[in-house]
Amino acid sequence: MPGTEDAGLPEAPGAVPLSLCVNGKPWVLQIDPRTSLLDALREHLHLTGTKKGCDHGQCGACTVLVNGRRINSCLSLAVMHEGDEISTIEGLGSPEALHPMQQAFIDHDGFQCGYCTPGQILSALAVIEEIKAGIPSHVTADLNAPPPLSASEIRERMSGNLCRCAAYPNIIAAIQDVSGIPS
Amino acid sequence: MKSFTYERANTAAEAVAAVAAMPGAKFIAGGTNLLDLMKLGIEAPVHLVDINRLGLDAIEPTEAGGLRIGAMVRNTDLAADARVRRDYAVLSRALLAGASGQLRNKATTGGNLLQRTRCAYFYNTDMPCNKRSPGSGCAAVGGLSHNHAVMGVSDACIATHPSDMAVALRALDATVEVISAKGSMRMIPIADFHRLPGDTPHLETNLQANEMVTAVILPRPVGGTHIYRKVRERASYAFANIAVAMIVREGKAARLALGGVAHKPWRVEAAEDAPAEGIADIVLAGARPTADNAYKLDLTRRTIAACLGDAS
Ligand SMILES: Cc1cc2nc3c(=O)[nH]c(=O)nc-3n(C[C@H](O)[C@H](O)[C@H](O)COP(=O)(O)OP(=O)(O)OC[C@H]3O[C@@H](n4cnc5c(N)ncnc54)[C@H](O)[C@@H]3O)c2cc1C
Ligand code: SF4
Ligand code: FES
Ligand code: FES
């Protein structure tokens, strides 16, 4: 494939071939089947924006979008993602041209140490899309009506992203801002 | 993590044949439970057969007026399906009360049924656990057991089944469709799918070796008001202490199943349609709580009452 980059690591015994598209860029790599999608991104493709908190699906720091849907990349094997489109924080904006969600996290002081932030931002973008797509949540009162784009819906849907610095109120304010909900 | 080989199956027949061909092989669906346990060395398959691309991802109407849910339908998509929301709301509610948005996007119908217990001693490989290593003992009996089972327990194991979805499926009288390595299909009523621990807590379901779940079938809708009340230690993103799935018709609990109290979803049909005051006594008859988890009995009584209140 033209423009495809080889991650160029020495071939480990038992490694299998894998092609992935990350932030629009195709990659081919040879990978030990044990490698999580998170480790493939961080250790093989050197995209260290996606963070490892718990490595057990409990904290959300490793949230990425796979074919547009958010998942915990620590609880998925890279080899299960042959041909998938992955979006990480590196694909969203640049320091010169931040994505509106990145800007909103800065404007609202939505972080302290920043470790959870890439996962929070990817999750937040997916939450807005999930609400628009009519996917209900635990706090949706009427299952047969479209869920409202509200602060309580956002709060419930963000519960899989922990923040050890407890920046929660400001994270919610940032997401509300981008969603156009008055705070 | 122990090393393993990996293959991607393209059809259900290919997947079961591949698992049967190699002792120690396992299916991997969403991976959200299996990989967690593999990282801890609690599961150590030698070969993984990826069933994500089998196409078992549709929700289709059945001739009997119900729904056939493919084993690979993700928890998010099942909860969001318009027919499920309208006719089987207890199932949507149970799914939405579980895990997080990220996990539900990945978790599958089959994998959710087969998820393993959250007993902390099962997770701690330094402790005895009959489920993890049969015959080693049970650290929870006489240990910390505040989130363990109160119904159907044995001396060998007092763990609970953690699934919310399975509790709703039990209330709905679902059937699990499975395929064997030889390609033959069979149907297992959800009541007979999960087992009580007895002397063999390492056997959690009545799925035979190498059988794969292909679908879950819901019978025609039964109407009524559907309620799923999950009591947990946080407002969101926590496993149940106890959960009640109830379908209320004419002011009575026409269907009632409990989560968080046993090694399987707990349903006692004799309690259904009983007068409100008598329901809890019937469902909880024979309870064997520990000092740590006796609170679950009161909590269940009150939650049953609250569900009936919700519907009135
Ligand atoms: C942090 C966290 C919080 C959670 N909270 C909740 C909660 O509140 N409530 C809740 O109910 N659950 C909760 N879960 C569990 C989650 O629901 C399960 O991990 C998930 O449903 C498992 O589905 P999966 O497709 O990822 O299964 P996998 O991990 O892929 O598989 C699980 C097991 O099932 C087997 N298997 C999978 N599919 C099939 C099939 N079709 N046929 C035969 N065998 C099969 C696999 O071999 C494996 O043994 C939580 C999980 C995490 C990590
Ligand atoms: S309760 Fe069951 S799972 Fe927990 S330690 Fe005892 S045997 Fe193991
Ligand atoms: S690192 Fe994946 S959820 Fe914590
Ligand atoms: S900003 Fe530090 S963990 Fe969230």
Side-chain angles (χ1 to χ4, degrees):
Chain A
M1 204 186 301
T4 298
E5 199 148 332
D6 192 319
L9 285 182
E11 195 168 320
V16 295
L18 169 69
S19 356
L20 284 180
C21 186
V22 183
N23 302 325
K25 181 170 166 181
W27 289 91
V28 288
L29 45 163
Q30 288 287 328
I31 203 155
D32 184 311
R34 287 175 289 185
T35 317
S36 65
L37 178 60
L38 174 61
D39 286 342
L41 292 169
R42 291 181 54 85
E43 313 294 335
H44 293 254
L45 306 184
H46 306 296
L47 292 168
T48 54
T50 308
K51 301 302 183 207
K52 183 185 286 189
C54 63
D55 213 21
H56 286 279
Q58 297 169 3
C59 74
C62 65
T63 304
V64 300
L65 308 186
V66 174
N67 304 327
R69 287 171 70 133
R70 58 179 171 146
I71 66 160
N72 298 315
S73 59
C74 69
L75 282 191
S76 203
L77 295 173
V79 284
M80 290 161 69
H81 293 284
E82 174 66 34
D84 282 349
E85 304 263 347
I86 320 288
S87 310
T88 70
I89 192 75
E90 287 90 348
L92 281 191
S94 62
E96 301 74 42
L98 292 176
H99 184 281
M101 189 65 82
Q102 291 172 314
Q103 188 61 52
F105 268 65
I106 295 173
D107 295 345
H108 291 273
D109 227 355
F111 52 87
Q112 286 181 39
C113 75
Y115 198 77
C116 71
T117 314
Q120 300 280 2
I121 288 178
L122 271 294
S123 210
L125 291 170
V127 160
I128 296 173
E129 293 309 312
E130 286 164 15
I131 296 175
K132 285 187 183 154
I135 294 170
S137 85
H138 177 59
V139 300
T140 307
D142 180 357
L143 279 184
N144 294 307
L149 189 52
S150 67
S152 81
E153 284 282 351
I154 292 172
R155 226 177 271 124
E156 158 61 23
R157 290 166 196 260
M158 290 298 292
S159 72
N161 290 85
L162 306 190
C163 174
R164 197 67 182 80
C165 303
Y168 298 113
N170 298 356
I171 292 171
I172 299 299
I175 306 172
Q176 272 184 255
D177 189 352
V178 175
S179 328
I181 309 169
S183 41
Chain B
M1 195 189 290
K2 291 265 168 45
S3 60
F4 55 84
T5 48
Y6 167 87
E7 94 180 82
R8 198 176 294 125
N10 296 306
T11 64
E14 205 179 293
V16 279
V19 164
M22 199 172 313
K26 271 189 128 13
F27 303 108
I28 185 160
T32 61
N33 189 227
L34 185 56
L35 290 171
D36 190 8
L37 295 169
M38 284 168 65
K39 288 181 185 198
L40 297 165
I42 296 164
E43 298 265 20
V46 299
H47 185 63
L48 282 184
V49 176
D50 182 348
I51 58 174
N52 280 277
R53 304 197 188 191
L54 304 186
L56 299 173
D57 54 2
I59 306 177
E60 301 153 323
T62 64
E63 277 176 20
L67 287 179
R68 180 177 185 277
I69 304 157
M72 295 306 300
V73 172
R74 308 288 160 173
N75 287 179
T76 298
D77 299 321
L78 182 54
D81 185 272
R83 295 157 294 185
V84 176
R85 286 154 75 170
R86 186 188 62 216
D87 297 330
Y88 306 96
V90 66
L91 178 56
S92 283
R93 289 287 181 206
L95 285 159
L96 295 171
S100 65
Q102 289 95 316
L103 289 160
R104 292 191 299 270
N105 278 344
K106 199 99 198 310
T108 63
T109 309
N112 190 314
L113 277 178
L114 287 152
Q115 63 174 298
R116 307 202 66 191
T117 186
R118 294 280 158 172
C119 169
Y121 300 112
F122 172 73
Y123 269 78
N124 183 344
T125 50
D126 294 333
M127 301 299 282
C129 168
N130 288 324
K131 188 183 280 300
R132 180 168 29 74
S133 25
S136 63
C138 169
V141 170
L144 299 172
S145 57
H146 107 285
N147 214 3
H148 285 75
V150 292
M151 307 302 303
V153 297
S154 71
D155 293 336
C157 178
I158 58 171
T160 60
H161 192 270
S163 168
D164 290 294
M165 180 191 82
V167 181
L169 292 180
R170 182 70 180 91
L172 290 167
D173 269 333
T175 305
V176 185
E177 179 193 284
V178 309
I179 183 176
S180 75
K182 295 200 185 80
S184 58
M185 295 280 210
R186 71 181 180 111
M187 298 291 191
I188 310 175
I190 187 78
D192 303 333
F193 188 77
H194 296 103
R195 299 164 58 103
L196 286 177
D199 294 335
T200 52
H202 60 292
L203 302 177
E204 290 162 355
T205 69
N206 286 316
L207 214 55
Q208 301 298 301
N210 312 324
E211 276 183 331
M212 187 179 83
V213 175
T214 46
V216 168
I217 317 258
L218 297 179
R220 54 180 312 129
V222 295
T225 305
H226 289 219
I227 300 165
Y228 190 77
R229 259 192 184 247
K230 176 174 178 178
V231 186
R232 47 185 161 175
E233 284 157 5
R234 292 199 291 255
S236 183
Y237 200 25
F239 285 94
N241 293 71
I242 65 112
V244 176
M246 192 185 280
I247 299 177
V248 182
R249 278 192 315 235
E250 293 161 17
K252 289 187 170 159
R255 296 285 174 88
L256 169 64
L258 305 178
V261 301
H263 202 252
K264 59 189 286 187
W266 193 256
R267 178 171 170 198
V268 179
E269 276 85 345
E272 292 168 2
D273 287 328
E277 327 68 73
I279 298 176
D281 284 339
I282 303 172
V283 222
L284 298 174
R288 251 180 76 190
T290 64
D292 284 355
N293 69 18
Y295 77 91
K296 287 194 176 189
L297 300 177
D298 261 345
L299 192 55
T300 302
R301 282 176 189 283
R302 290 175 189 184
T303 308
I304 289 173
C307 288
L308 286 166
D310 287 345
S312 61

